[in-house]
Structures are given as structure tokens and as C-alpha cells.
Amino acid sequence: VGIVTLLTDFGTEDTYVGQMKGVMLSHDSSLRLVDLTHDVPPQAILTAALHLRAAWEYFPAGTTHLVVVDPGVGSVRRAIAARYHSHVFVGPDNGVLDGALAGAVPDELVVLDPELIGAAAISRTFHGRDLFAPAAALIANGAPLTDVGSIADPEPIVRIDVPVPLHENCGIRGAVLMIDRYGNAMTNISADLVAQPVQHIASGSFSVGQLSGSYSDVERGEPVALISSMNTLELAVRDGSAMTRYHLEPGAEVSVSFTQTNDPAS
Amino acid sequence: VGIVTLLTDFGTEDTYVGQMKGVMLSHDSSLRLVDLTHDVPPQAILTAALHLRAAWEYFPAGTTHLVVVDPGVGSVRRAIAARYHSHVFVGPDNGVLDGALAGAVPDELVVLDPELIGAAAISRTFHGRDLFAPAAALIANGAPLTDVGSIADPEPIVRIDVPVPLHENCGIRGAVLMIDRYGNAMTNISADLVAQPVQHIASGSFSVGQLSGSYSDVERGEPVALISSMNTLELAVRDGSAMTRYHLEPGAEVSVSFTQTNDPAS
Amino acid sequence: VGIVTLLTDFGTEDTYVGQMKGVMLSHDSSLRLVDLTHDVPPQAILTAALHLRAAWEYFPAGTTHLVVVDPGVGSVRRAIAARYHSHVFVGPDNGVLDGALAGAVPDELVVLDPELIGAAAISRTFHGRDLFAPAAALIANGAPLTDVGSIADPEPIVRIDVPVPLHENCGIRGAVLMIDRYGNAMTNISADLVAQPVQHIASGSFSVGQLSGSYSDVERGEPVALISSMNTLELAVRDGSAMTRYHLEPGAEVSVSFTQTNDPAS
């Protein structure tokens, strides 16, 4: 059974997502269609990339991931399909796939060809429905990538800047990447970077003296820093919102300092 | 495989939609259930009709479309199922199906019969779950319409007023029908009505001198008029919201004037 | 075909729900996954319980219901799976299952065992994905409960306080449990409690003199009390919001008085 995940900035008030699903089911009514989210802020490519990065590996090998956050629709940006580790990613070549793959080079890349897809007369405003959805359906139905596009060099897909953490004197300086529904702040600091004893973790007025194991290690309403389900440093408030309490937002600087090893010579 | 689309004003905070899906899967656990949207404003029949009109044709022939926006539940309004172009529409006879079909006359119409459906003891507040959902499940499972209701004359279903564009001296006067998630204004002016050279398109303070091919034909933040994915005139702002910027809302008047052909006699 | 319903407080802006679905489809790609709602207010156990209570019986026997509202994730609260009336409920043992079952004792109960589930290395922040989702997938795929956990006494699952209505002198005193999307107030007063002639129904400034059969029994904008689709007393405004108009909210007291039978002796 072919599985297609969908991730867009279309929202759920309109029927844009429904139209894409109709097109896919018209190609293959047995496809399994799974929504990741459609509430990406309009045209927020980085947010979409981070969401897809967080989710795609949990799906079975062979899954096709359709991502449509496409401010350049109708312009010259390429429409691509990329295979990576037995998953296929379909979407505009605007950085969203690069971000989803964390900069990894795809194993195979094609530039979508409307004629191969049977979508010669496509709208200029909704390639999600007229180009990407039929391409994803064909791929999920088993078509090789070369059935939907022309092979291109996997290397030069459009890159996206994701803030990277910096090593500092006895510490790490990173940033908040996303705030989740609970007001938890997800940072760009991976778990392995904070594997040594922590002295202090701060972002603005958020400040804790240690890395905790779970929310329940602190009292209700208290700040807590822990390793998130994405295996990165997360700043939270137990049973509350770190975003609201400490005014955390994407881009906010996060600093981690480590316990100094006592050096007898100093 | 039977496909049922769902379009309601139930929202997604409650489990009303889930209850309808449970009922349908209890009839036939192999049904494919696809949400169009459940965020229609409460009891907004016209909005629901326009959403369904925009989406239904993208689904495969044989699809059943279940629409429940039903301010008259429990009153005498009829509950109907209508076949049109190999699709079946199930819902209250309150104008929503007339609007979805753009006034076309159904090929076949039945008035739902609770006894035929095995729903003799139905609630008076939730026909979506107790009457429409089982009817849709039976139809999607292959039952003829006569298995769920009594044949009625397809002609007199309840009509709904959808504003129609008017031809004016060298132009068209239409209206905004819907605003989408991006703040784009969808009008009632179909693409064929603006197929001649345009001089001016305006709605309130929104004003452009031409019809563009895609959003990227203008600079970011600039107004743009183009043909929407619904094949109608759309008023937008590139990478922005026309609704917010120009205070566009459903019902706002839209005027299009065409380039005057120079008449040597004048 | 195995059916799994999902009910969480994860919202739909993030991909937490998508990650759980990916995990389940990785176990069994033929599973049918049905969202009940993900918009339960963060960590609102009672609301989640009432939503699940309202919906689960509409699904076919054999359905697995996955509920993850889990403020105690990572603490010592138990993770359980309970069978009741041929349905299985999987979630944290924090009262949500007790509330969903309205206090009924499960027919069979197991405490989930990460090793049996093949989830020995689980995150401490997202048991929904790492523990509950694979358990639900295995059960929906046909595994007996003893394949995912150790049998426990069904009796002492964590209880939750749901307000109960009280009989008063010639009447009932109850409470609003939930407000739905329309602003209708759902009470804890079951239909059988108001089966005798009603004299007066009130909550704050909401006041009506009778129990109506449907919304359309009153004029638009008028208050109406009727039996809800959950077979409980509901306070509503026809084509309007009782919540907004009368400031009703969960916890608000609701009083019902019955018509006094004329006693000739008095």
C-alpha cells in the first residue's frame, strides 16, 4: 500500500488540501494519505522544513512525503522529487527539502515534468494540486522517479539557512528554532552537545541550573530544560508555557555553560 | 473502495466528526473517509456550498460527498441524496447542494427515509451522525439511492442565492465570494469573463491596471489580480494578505473595466 | 482491518500526531487511523475523557482507542491498555480512561511493558509516540493485551471526579460539563433525569420554562433546552451561542425544577 504524507501551509479552513487528496485518490484510490500538518504559517519555508525533518523518519520505508509551501509558485523555481534513504520527497525546490533532509544530499533527484505527469495544462497558482499531488500519487503507486521527471544532479538543490549552534568558552550558544503547541521551545542544540555536566542553561529570563530528565522532575509552574522528543535541547515550563512565561520565540538565543573541571594548576 | 468526503461546520475541537466516522466505519470498515473542511463558520450554508463546489470534481467518479451544515436540524427541511455526474451528494435540502452544484439539476434525487436506513430512532439534534452518515456509508458501499430514500423530482431542491456578476458598460461588476487562508479574495467573476484586455481591476482601495499570470509577476507586498485555482478572478497581495491590506471581505464589490477598442468613428 | 482512533492534546500545528501515525503505520500499514480530536486544551484530562466517552461507542467492536493527554509523562504514572465491551483503550492511567468509561470497570487490564512492545529505549517526553502508539498498533493488528503488557487488577485504575447531578426538592441540580463549538452547553444531567414535566431550567441568566424537542422549536436567537446528541440536557441558543449570550462555562450550576403534581390534600 502506498503511503503519502502531506505537509502544507494551506490551513484547514479551505479545501485546498481536499482538492490535492481528490487528485491523488483519482490516480490511485488505495493510497493512504496522512496529514502531518497544514498549519505552517503562510510561506514559512523553514518551519515547514523543520516539521518534516521531525516526522519523516517515523514512517515506513517507501513512504512519499508531499510538502507544499510554495511562495514562488508560478515563477521559475524548480519542482522536484528526491529519493533519500528509501523515502521520496516531493515539493518545490525552495530550500524546504534541503532543510527537511538537514542538508544531506539526496540519493536521486528529478525535476518534475508536467508532460510526463500528464499535467500539461496546469494552473499557475496551485501546483500543489496540479503538479505535486499527481507526481506524489504516481510515485506512491510505484512509479520510478524517472517516470515523473528528468534526472538532475542531486547536489545543487536550493539550500536553506538553519541556525547552527556555536561552541563557546566552556559552553554552547544556540537558538530557539520552534515553539510547539504547549509553548515548549525547541532549540538547535542536539542532545550530544549537552552530554557533559551542565552548570547553567538560559534564554532571556529563562534560567535553570541543570538538565532534567522529564517535566515531572520539577514542580508545576517551574522552568525545566530537558532533551526533547526530537533529541534536542528543549526549554519548557511544567504544566505551563515557556513561550508565554519567558517570552521565548524562534530566533531567541540560548546559552549553555558546562561545569568547569577544577584544574589544580589554576 | 468507497470514498466519502466530509464537509461540516462542526469544527475539530469536539468529536462530532469522529462520531460520524465511527458510524460510517461501523457500516463498512473499508470506506475511505476524506475531510474537506470542518471549519465552515457555524451554519454558513453559502460558504459550505462554495467549498464543496471548489473540491468535488477532483475526486474520482463514484465518490460520495457528505455535507452537514444544518441550522434547520429537527425541523421540516428535507434530508436528501442527489446523484450528479457519477458523484453522490448527501445532506440537508437547505441550499447547500444547489450551491455546490452551481444550480445544476441533479440526475437523480431521493428524500432520505430513516426506516430504510435503519435509523428509525434518531436524535433530533444530530442528523449528521444518525441519518446522513449511515446514508452516505450505504451509498458509498454500493447501495442504489432507492435503498436509502424515496425518489423525488430532482427539480425543486431548495435554491441558494449566489451573487452573479453583471455586465456593465465596458466592464464587469462582481463580488468577493470568499477569503482564503492567505487573505486572497476569490470573486464570482469566472476566467472567461476577463478573457479580453483588462484596463483596471478594483475593489475598495485595491486597484491594479492589469491581469497577471502568477503572484510572482509583481514585487513582494504588491497587489495582484490573477486567475485563481478555481478558474475565477482572484485579488491577492504577493506574500501578503489582500484581506488585511485592503479590507476585502465576502460581499465586497469588484469592478473590472476593459481596454476600449479605439473606434475611429468616435 | 484494524481501526485506531486518536485523541490527544497535541494540537495540529506540530507533527506530534503525524509521528504517532508514522509509528503505527510502520507496524501495520493497513491500519485505519481516525482522528477524534487533537484540540483538547493542554493537559485537560477531564475534557479528553468526556470527548472519548461521547465518541467511542459509535465505532465498530474491535476498535482500539488511543488517548494521550499525559501531563505526567516521564513520571511514575502507569501506562495501560484496557478492554471494555470489545473495545480497547490505550493511554496513561491518569483518570482519562476512567472518565471515558464513566467509571465502569474494564473487562481486562494490562500495564504496558516497553520491552514486550519492543520500545525499550523510549524518550522521557513523548510516550505517545514511543510507547502508546506501538502498543495500539500491535493491539489493532490483533495482538492479545498480554502481548503488550502484564495483567493487572482491572479495579484500581486511577479515578477522575466527574461532577454528578443531585436530586433536590422537586428538581435536579447539575453542572455544565463542556461547551461545544457552537457555544452549546452540555450538562451532566442525563435524559432520563428530565423525563418528567419540567417547570423551569436555568443556569445563571439562562432561563427557559420547558424542555424542547429541537432547536427549531424556538425562534432564532432564543434560548432553548433540549436533549443533546449525547442524550443529556443541553442548553443552547437557536442559531447562536449560549456560552457567549449567557456566559455559560464548564462548572456552571444548572438547575431543573419539575412541575408539582397537584396534591388535593395540600
Side-chain angles (χ1 to χ4, degrees):
Chain A
V1 183
I3 298 173
V4 180
T5 75
L6 295 91
L7 192 161
T8 76
D9 64 349
F10 294 167
T12 51
E13 308 103 84
D14 303 304
T15 66
Y16 296 132
V17 173
Q19 292 175 45
M20 290 202 304
K21 291 181 177 176
V23 166
M24 288 193 278
L25 293 173
S26 293
H27 273 81
D28 178 354
S29 66
S30 74
L31 291 178
R32 310 295 310 277
L33 308 176
V34 182
D35 299 303
L36 292 183
T37 180
H38 302 292
D39 292 336
V40 171
Q43 301 153 352
I45 294 171
L46 178 58
T47 303
L50 294 171
H51 278 310
L52 185 51
R53 186 195 289 186
W56 72 267
E57 288 188 87
Y58 292 100
F59 284 82
T63 298
T64 301
H65 304 280
L66 173 57
V67 53
V68 189
V69 176
D70 194 15
V73 61
S75 73
V76 294
R77 67 96 187 89
R78 301 191 301 179
I80 59 177
R83 188 183 310 278
Y84 181 71
H85 284 200
S86 300
H87 290 244
V88 177
F89 301 81
V90 177
D93 185 20
N94 60 14
V96 68
L97 294 188
D98 180 61
L101 298 179
V105 177
D107 301 322
E108 186 185 0
L109 183 79
V110 297
V111 174
L112 298 182
D113 180 336
E115 291 199 23
L116 283 177
I117 295 164
I122 62 178
S123 73
R124 290 188 63 187
T125 56
F126 194 4
H127 289 183
R129 178 191 69 197
D130 298 337
L131 184 62
F132 295 118
L138 290 165
I139 294 164
N141 185 246
L145 295 195
T146 49
D147 274 14
V148 298
S150 343
I151 291 182
D153 185 349
E155 187 58 68
I157 69 172
V158 172
R159 298 294 178 183
I160 191 168
D161 275 334
V162 181
V164 290
L166 301 173
H167 288 267
E168 282 196 328
N169 184 31
C170 291
I172 300 281
R173 182 149 44 107
V176 173
L177 290 183
M178 290 200 299
I179 305 288
D180 76 5
R181 192 215 185 181
Y182 302 87
N184 300 328
M186 303 297 165
T187 76
N188 63 350
I189 301 172
S190 60
D192 58 294
L193 290 180
V194 288
Q196 55 185 296
V198 161
Q199 185 178 60
H200 192 232
I201 298 174
S203 179
S205 58
F206 178 100
S207 174
V208 296
Q210 64 190 328
L211 187 65
S212 298
S214 77
Y215 304 115
S216 52
D217 285 0
V218 303
E219 298 295 311
R220 287 169 172 252
E222 292 297 310
V224 56
L226 72 177
I227 300 304
S228 77
S229 64
M230 296 169 65
N231 214 31
T232 53
L233 179 65
E234 169 182 340
L235 312 184
V237 166
R238 181 175 176 193
D239 297 340
S241 165
M243 175 183 69
T244 304
R245 172 83 70 85
Y246 298 106
H247 309 293
L248 298 181
E249 57 183 14
E253 188 175 301
V254 177
S255 66
V256 179
S257 64
F258 300 117
T259 303
Q260 304 266 351
T261 308
N262 281 322
D263 183 345
S266 69
Chain B
V1 183
I3 298 173
V4 180
T5 75
L6 295 91
L7 193 160
T8 75
D9 64 348
F10 295 166
T12 52
E13 308 101 85
D14 303 303
T15 66
Y16 296 132
V17 173
Q19 292 174 45
M20 290 202 302
K21 291 181 177 176
V23 165
M24 288 193 277
L25 293 173
S26 293
H27 273 80
D28 177 355
S29 67
S30 74
L31 291 178
R32 312 295 310 276
L33 308 176
V34 182
D35 300 303
L36 292 183
T37 179
H38 301 293
D39 294 334
V40 171
Q43 301 153 350
I45 293 171
L46 178 58
T47 303
L50 295 172
H51 278 310
L52 185 51
R53 186 196 289 187
W56 72 268
E57 287 189 87
Y58 292 100
F59 285 82
T63 298
T64 301
H65 305 280
L66 173 57
V67 52
V68 188
V69 176
D70 194 15
V73 62
S75 73
V76 293
R77 66 97 187 89
R78 300 191 301 179
I80 59 177
R83 188 183 310 277
Y84 181 70
H85 285 200
S86 300
H87 290 244
V88 177
F89 302 80
V90 178
D93 186 19
N94 59 14
V96 69
L97 294 188
D98 180 61
L101 297 179
V105 177
D107 302 321
E108 186 185 358
L109 183 79
V110 296
V111 174
L112 299 182
D113 180 336
E115 292 199 23
L116 283 176
I117 294 164
I122 62 178
S123 73
R124 290 188 62 187
T125 57
F126 194 5
H127 289 183
R129 178 191 70 197
D130 298 337
L131 182 62
F132 295 118
L138 290 166
I139 294 164
N141 185 245
L145 295 195
T146 48
D147 274 15
V148 298
S150 343
I151 291 181
D153 184 348
E155 187 58 69
I157 68 173
V158 171
R159 298 292 179 183
I160 192 168
D161 274 334
V162 181
V164 290
L166 302 173
H167 288 268
E168 283 196 327
N169 184 31
C170 291
I172 300 282
R173 184 148 43 107
V176 173
L177 290 183
M178 291 201 296
I179 305 288
D180 77 5
R181 192 214 186 183
Y182 301 87
N184 301 327
M186 303 297 165
T187 76
N188 63 350
I189 301 171
S190 60
D192 59 293
L193 290 180
V194 288
Q196 55 186 294
V198 162
Q199 186 177 60
H200 192 231
I201 297 174
S203 180
S205 59
F206 179 100
S207 174
V208 297
Q210 64 190 324
L211 187 65
S212 298
S214 76
Y215 305 116
S216 53
D217 285 0
V218 303
E219 298 296 312
R220 287 167 173 254
E222 292 298 310
V224 56
L226 72 178
I227 300 304
S228 77
S229 63
M230 295 168 66
N231 214 31
T232 53
L233 179 66
E234 169 182 342
L235 312 184
V237 166
R238 181 175 175 193
D239 297 340
S241 164
M243 174 183 69
T244 305
R245 173 82 71 84
Y246 298 105
H247 308 292
L248 299 181
E249 56 184 15
E253 186 175 301
V254 178
S255 65
V256 179
S257 63
F258 300 117
T259 304
Q260 304 266 350
T261 308
N262 281 322
D263 183 346
S266 70
Chain C
V1 182
I3 298 173
V4 180
T5 75
L6 295 91
L7 193 160
T8 75
D9 63 350
F10 294 167
T12 52
E13 308 101 85
D14 303 304
T15 66
Y16 296 132
V17 173
Q19 292 174 45
M20 291 202 302
K21 290 181 177 176
V23 166
M24 288 193 277
L25 293 173
S26 293
H27 273 81
D28 178 354
S29 67
S30 75
L31 291 178
R32 311 295 309 276
L33 308 177
V34 182
D35 299 303
L36 292 184
T37 180
H38 302 293
D39 293 335
V40 171
Q43 301 153 350
I45 294 172
L46 178 58
T47 303
L50 295 172
H51 277 310
L52 185 50
R53 185 195 289 187
W56 73 268
E57 286 188 89
Y58 292 100
F59 284 82
T63 298
T64 301
H65 303 280
L66 173 57
V67 52
V68 188
V69 176
D70 195 15
V73 62
S75 73
V76 294
R77 66 96 188 90
R78 300 190 301 178
I80 59 177
R83 189 183 310 278
Y84 181 71
H85 284 200
S86 301
H87 290 244
V88 177
F89 301 81
V90 177
D93 185 19
N94 61 13
V96 69
L97 294 189
D98 180 61
L101 298 179
V105 177
D107 302 322
E108 186 185 0
L109 183 80
V110 296
V111 174
L112 299 182
D113 181 337
E115 291 199 24
L116 283 176
I117 295 164
I122 62 176
S123 74
R124 290 188 62 187
T125 56
F126 195 5
H127 288 184
R129 178 190 70 198
D130 298 337
L131 183 61
F132 296 118
L138 290 165
I139 293 164
N141 185 244
L145 294 195
T146 48
D147 274 15
V148 298
S150 343
I151 290 181
D153 185 348
E155 187 59 68
I157 68 172
V158 171
R159 297 294 178 182
I160 191 168
D161 274 334
V162 181
V164 291
L166 302 173
H167 288 267
E168 283 196 327
N169 183 31
C170 292
I172 300 281
R173 183 148 43 107
V176 173
L177 289 182
M178 290 201 298
I179 305 287
D180 76 5
R181 192 214 186 184
Y182 302 86
N184 301 328
M186 303 297 165
T187 76
N188 63 350
I189 300 171
S190 59
D192 58 295
L193 290 180
V194 287
Q196 57 185 292
V198 161
Q199 184 177 62
H200 192 231
I201 298 174
S203 179
S205 57
F206 178 101
S207 174
V208 295
Q210 63 190 326
L211 187 66
S212 298
S214 77
Y215 304 117
S216 53
D217 285 359
V218 303
E219 298 296 312
R220 288 170 171 250
E222 292 298 309
V224 55
L226 71 179
I227 299 304
S228 76
S229 64
M230 296 168 67
N231 215 29
T232 54
L233 179 66
E234 170 183 341
L235 312 184
V237 166
R238 181 173 176 194
D239 298 339
S241 165
M243 174 184 69
T244 305
R245 171 83 69 86
Y246 298 106
H247 309 293
L248 299 181
E249 56 183 16
E253 187 176 302
V254 177
S255 65
V256 179
S257 63
F258 299 117
T259 304
Q260 305 265 351
T261 308
N262 281 322
D263 184 344
S266 71

